[in-house]
């Protein structure tokens, strides 16, 4: 079984990003090439990024 990497949580982990994208989204984009295409993790990652992108678009688009 593959060991999962562990990372220390930064002190400002709960803070909202001041610009750009969420650190989670940036990390998920960076990890997307590490999984075989079609694997469960890769499919989940792409679905999550797709939904997050749509939600972000709707939250940032003003209503007319």
């Amino acid at each position: 079984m593959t060991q999962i990497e562990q990372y220390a949580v930064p002190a400002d982990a709960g803070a909202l990003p001041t610009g750009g994208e969420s650190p989670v989204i940036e990390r998920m984009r960076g990890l997307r090439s590490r999984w075989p295409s079609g694997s469960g993790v890769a499919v989940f990652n792409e679905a999550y990024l797709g939904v997050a992108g749509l939600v972000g678009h709707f939250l940032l688009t003003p209503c007319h």
Side-chain angles (χ1 to χ4, degrees):
M1 181 179 245
T2 304
Q3 182 177 354
I4 298 174
E5 296 177 23
Q6 294 184 4
Y7 298 92
V9 177
D12 64 348
L16 294 174
T18 57
E21 293 188 329
S22 160
V24 172
I25 299 299
E26 290 175 4
R27 182 154 170 78
M28 290 180 78
R29 284 202 174 115
L31 292 172
R32 69 171 24 149
S33 63
R34 295 180 75 181
W35 300 300
S37 178
S39 73
V41 175
V43 170
F44 172 82
N45 190 52
E46 289 303 313
Y48 187 96
L49 289 172
V51 170
L54 287 172
V55 170
H57 172 75
F58 284 112
L59 290 176
L60 297 174
T61 304
C63 297
H64 293 281

